[in-house]
Amino acid sequence: MTAVAQALAGSRNREQQIMAVWVPDWPVTVAMDLAGLTAEVPAAVAEGRTILAASAMARAQGVRRGMRRRTAQEASPEVRILPRDYPAEIRGFEQVARAVEGVMAHLTVVRPGLLWARQPDSARRRAEFAGGAEAGLSALAGQVTDAVALMTGAECMIGSAGTAFAAVVAAHRGMLVPYRETAEFLRHQPVTVLRYMTGDGDGRETAALADLTALLVRLGLFTLGDLLGLTPDAVRTRFGDRGERAYRLAGGEADRMVDLWRPATELSVTQEIDPPALRSETVMFAAQPMAERLHRMLLDQSLTCALLQITATTTQGDLLTRCWQADEATWGGMTPRQIADRVRWQLDGWLSRAGSDSAPHRATGSQNADPDVAPVRHLQIDAVEVHPAPTQGEGLWGTHSSGAARAHRTADRLHGLLGADGVFTAVAQGGRTPRDQVRIVPWGQVPSPAKPHDRPWPHSLPGPAPTSIPVEPLAVQIWDQQGDTVVVTERLSMSGPPHHLQFPQGSVQQIARWAGPWPVVERWWASEGVRAVYLQVVTETGEGLLVSYSDGRWLCDGRYD
Amino acid sequence: MPGEAQARLDHARKVLTAATAASTSNRASDIGEEGGYPVPQALRGSLPQGLGRGSVTVVKGSTSLLMSLLAEISDRRVWMVLLGMPEVGLAALHQQGIALPQLVLVPDPGLQSATAVAAALDGFEVVVCGPQVSLSDRDRRRLMGKVRQNHRVLLSVTSWPGAGAEITALRSQWYGIDAGDGWLQGSHLTVTCAGRRAVPGQHEQAMEPWARRAG
C-alpha cells in the first residue's frame, strides 16, 4: 500500500464495526419454500433463460449462477427450475429484517437477501473490555443467526468488518474481522470481490463491474492489494470513477453509505393516505408522485442520499420504518422509479406480514382478512444522509460520462412516462435479414449475449440495409411484362422479370431495375424457420425496395430512400 | 447571348461560394468544436456553421440523408434519441456508423409527444422527431425555446415553423443493380438547403450518403 493510500485509509477509517447479514441463495430459498420443496432437492431460480440462483444441492451438481437454463439441466438433469417471485422475496426478507432488528438497531436493507447494521459502540467497547473484540463479535453473530433461524427458519451468513463493503466480503467468507484489521483483510482478497460493490441487483452496474474485474485480472492485478499498489492518480485516469471507488473501498475506506450515522440534512416528503388503504397498489398511487417529488428536491439542490427511509403510519397508530440502501453509483441517489420500487416492495412486505409467526415466507394470503395489519394512513419518504452529489464537471475527455448519466436519467423518465414498452435501445447482432441484424431491447434490461455480428453470415443480404423497415411487412403485387404475377419456384427460377408493382391502395409503379433473387433459409428444420426469396427493385422514381417472396405471396420488407 | 450571360453569372456565383467556403472553413471548424456539429462534406458549403446547437433543422425527403447527418454527429459520442420513428432501419443506422449504445428509441410517443420531446431535450444532445411525433404549432414554439435554452440539436422530418435550416432531398437514385445483377450499393441524392442558417443563393448539391461507409 502506498503512503497516500495508507494515510487516506487511516484518516477516514472510523472506529466502527459493521455487521452484514447475508442469506445465501435467497431467491431460491423463497421459491423452494413456495413450491414446498425440501433442501435435498436440487433447485434453481431462473429469470428468462438465465439461472439467477441455485440451491446448495444444485450447486454441488455444477449448476451456477448466470448459466443458461439448458446448460444447467445438462449439468444436473433432476434440477427443479423455479420461476422467480420478487414480491415474495421482499415479504420474506422483511421477516429476516425484523428478526435481526431484535438484536441490533438501525439496520439497512441493501436488497432482499442482504442487510447490514452498525454494531453499537457501547456493546463493542464492553466486549473489548471483557474479552477481546473477536469474542464480542462472535457472541453477537451467534445471537443474530439464532434469531433469524428461530423466527424465519432461514440460515444466514454473518460477516463483520470496519466498512460495509468489507463486511459484505466477510459475510461471503463467513469471517468476523475486527475493524482494526479490515485493511489487512481486504488486501488479500481477490479483485473479484469488487462485484459486491453494488448492493442493488442493477444489471448494468454488475456488468460494468464484471468488465472492470476482468480488465484488472488481465493486467495482472489479482488481489485488492495489487490494486492498491497503484497510485490513486493512475487508477483514476485508467479506470474512471468506478475504478476510483473500487480503490477507495479496497483501501478500507468507508463508503458514504454508513460513514456518518447522524443525518446532516434530511429531505422528506409526506402524504396523508385518505381514505386509509390496505392494499399496496392503492398506497402506491400516492407514493409514485412522492418519489418524483423527492427526486426533484434532491436534483434541484444537487444532492444525493445514501439511505432511503420509508415510514408508514397505520390507523392503529403503529409506526413502521425501514431503511433502504441507495445505490451510490447512481447520480442523484436514485431514479424516481427506483425510489418508487423500494417503497412498493416495503409496503408489500408490511401489508402482507400477516401470520408471519406461523408461515415465514408466506407469499399469498388474504391480506384483508388479517386483523393484525391495519390500513396505512400516512406515508413518509426521507432521504437520509444527504450529501452533495459527486461533482461531475465537464471532464478533460469531454462531456461523455456526465452526458451518459444525464441521458440515462432522461431515458428513465421517458420510461416512466410511456411505460415499459415505450423506450428501447438497440444492439447489433449477427443475422441474415435486416430485421435480424439489430435486436431491440426494452430500456433498463441488460441485453443477453447476442449472436456475434463480426462473423460471416453466409447468404446474408449484401450492401446497405434498408433505411426504413415497415413494422409489419406490407403485401405487394408484382407482375411481369405480360401482367402475370411473378412466381419463384423452389429452384429459384422466376417466372419472368418483374416489370411493375403495386402497393394496396397505391398506384402501379414501373420497376426500372432489379436484382436477385437471393434465397434466405433459416432453421429449415423447425416449424418457425424462415424460407424466403429476396429481391431488390428500384422503381421509376429512383426509390429502392426490398421485397420477399414466400408461400406464394410478395411482401415489402424494406425501403431504401 | 442571354444564355452565355447566365452561364457567366453561374460561374461567378460558384467562385464566390467556393471563396466563402474556403474563408469560413477555419471558422467553421472552430464552431464545430464549440457550438455546432459538422455536417457531411457535400453540405458544408451550404451550411458552413454545421448543425447549430440551440436550433431546429428540418430534414426531409430521405432517411439516408438523415442517417448521414446523424453519423457525423455520432462521431462525437453524444447521446441521441429517435422519437416517433417506428420504421427506421436500425441495421442501416448501424452500417452508417451510428453508435447504437448511445442511441435510445421511443417508437411511438403517441399522445404524450409534447411531454416526451420536452423530457428528451433535458438529457439528450440530439433529439430526432420522426413522423409519429404529433405536435401542435404551440408545442413546437414552446419546444423551440427549450432547444435554444438547453443548446440542443433538434432534427425534425416534418415541417417546423421557425426552423433554422431546412435540408430537403429532392431526388434520390439508388444504384448498383440492373436486370437481375448486382445489389444496391448506395444512392445519389440531390439536396437543397434553405433557411436562415444556410448560405443564400445555393444551388442543388449532389451527395452520396452511403459513400462514407465505403471510404
Side-chain angles (χ1 to χ4, degrees), chain B residues 116-142:
Chain B
V117 176
L121 286 170
D122 278 340
F124 292 93
E125 298 285 317
V126 178
V127 176
V128 183
C129 293
Q132 301 289 319
V133 172
S134 53
L135 298 171
S136 67
D137 277 356
R138 205 167 135 252
D139 291 335
R140 290 201 174 93
R141 273 198 300 280
R142 214 160 40 83

Side-chain angles (χ1 to χ4, degrees), chain A residues 103-175:
Chain A
V103 184
M104 288 165 53
H106 295 314
L107 56 84
T108 303
V109 181
V110 187
R111 61 175 156 80
L114 180 67
L115 61 83
W116 56 52
R118 196 177 142 199
Q119 190 185 347
D121 281 347
S122 55
R124 184 170 53 78
R125 294 215 186 85
R126 209 163 46 237
E128 277 174 19
F129 186 74
E134 280 91 356
L137 278 178
S138 55
L140 189 66
Q143 282 178 35
V144 172
T145 323
D146 289 351
V148 172
L150 201 69
M151 280 185 68
T152 69
E155 276 179 53
C156 63
M157 304 271 283
I158 309 279
S160 186
T163 66
F165 170 68
V168 175
V169 176
H172 284 80
R173 306 263 181 279
M175 284 173 76

